[in-house]
Amino acid sequence: IASGLKEALNQGIGNGVNELIKVDGYFGNQAIKLLLPPEAQKVQDLIVKNIPQGQKLVDEAVLKMNRAAEDAANEAKPIFVDAITSMTISDAKNILFGSENAATNYLKEKTLQKLTQAYAPKINASLSKVGATQAWQAITTPYNKLANSPAGALVNVRQPINSDLGAYTTQKALDGLFWRIAQEEQKIRNTPLA
């Protein structure tokens, strides 16, 4: 049973990760597409309304975030395989007879820290290479100065926003990865051929 479960999980992970590393693996999937942080909505609105081709700048930033996530997804498969290989019979039993997302939860528990460590440098390098990190800091630095000043209160800009685009992108990329793994787990549980 444990061997069969390991094989099924390896297959599911392979399918899930292979989908994410393709061009538009994240960007083309509305369920996991990375968008700018919610707290950046005011900044986004200001850019779109007040900067020529502002929407194009925002769209380009979103595209670059998703490309960085697709690039980083290459790091996931060996980390997942290691977690599956080290699975005990007790782990396999808990997954087999556990909740509908027991395998996803197991993998998240066993891999999240390693995945974060593997994804973060790759995402930061990718975002930096394409200029997204610098562009984000160029946007957030003046905005945060305004938000922290008395003038910000006058124009109803009070909440600074996180200027660490890499950390945000890494978290959202991993959220998307585990969402995709959960989809594969559902296929395995509900479709014997999967």
Side-chain angles (χ1 to χ4, degrees):
I1 291 171
S3 295
L5 179 60
K6 287 179 182 183
E7 181 58 35
L9 289 174
N10 275 320
Q11 180 72 30
I13 285 166
N15 292 342
V17 171
N18 288 341
E19 285 294 316
L20 295 178
I21 62 175
K22 292 179 184 175
V23 172
D24 291 340
Y26 277 88
F27 188 74
N29 186 332
Q30 293 304 309
I32 59 173
K33 179 179 178 180
L34 281 72
L35 302 173
L36 291 175
E39 65 269 20
Q41 189 62 50
K42 282 186 180 182
V43 176
Q44 184 175 333
D45 292 344
L46 288 171
I47 291 169
V48 170
K49 290 178 186 173
N50 299 310
I51 296 177
Q53 296 190 358
Q55 185 63 54
K56 184 178 178 185
L57 291 172
V58 170
D59 292 345
E60 190 66 21
V62 169
L63 177 64
K64 289 174 180 179
M65 290 167 56
N66 283 276
R67 292 295 183 250
E70 291 158 5
D71 189 36
N74 277 309
E75 304 296 316
K77 199 181 293 186
I79 294 171
F80 281 135
V81 168
D82 185 48
I84 292 168
T85 303
S86 64
M87 183 186 299
T88 67
I89 292 174
S90 177
D91 293 331
K93 181 181 174 189
N94 291 337
I95 291 170
L96 190 61
F97 298 112
S99 66
E100 287 292 306
N101 58 352
T104 303
N105 290 341
Y106 168 82
L107 290 170
K108 192 171 191 176
E109 178 187 318
K110 297 293 184 185
T111 65
L112 185 59
Q113 184 177 0
K114 287 181 182 176
L115 286 168
T116 302
Q117 291 169 350
Y119 267 51
K122 196 139 189 170
I123 284 179
N124 285 325
S126 184
L127 289 173
S128 184
K129 181 175 74 177
V130 296
T133 302
Q134 299 85 336
W136 183 245
Q137 287 175 346
I139 292 167
T140 59
T141 300
Y143 183 88
N144 286 341
K145 282 182 183 175
L146 176 63
N148 290 321
S149 73
L154 292 174
V155 293
N156 201 25
V157 174
R158 296 186 181 114
Q159 183 71 32
I161 58 175
N162 185 351
S163 59
D164 190 347
L165 187 61
Y168 172 80
T169 303
T170 298
Q171 180 59 53
K172 289 309 216 178
L174 290 172
D175 289 349
L177 172 67
F178 284 108
W179 178 87
R180 189 67 185 89
I181 295 302
Q183 298 296 305
E184 288 298 319
E185 180 177 3
Q186 290 308 306
K187 282 185 194 173
I188 291 168
R189 287 186 183 275
N190 298 324
T191 309
L193 288 176

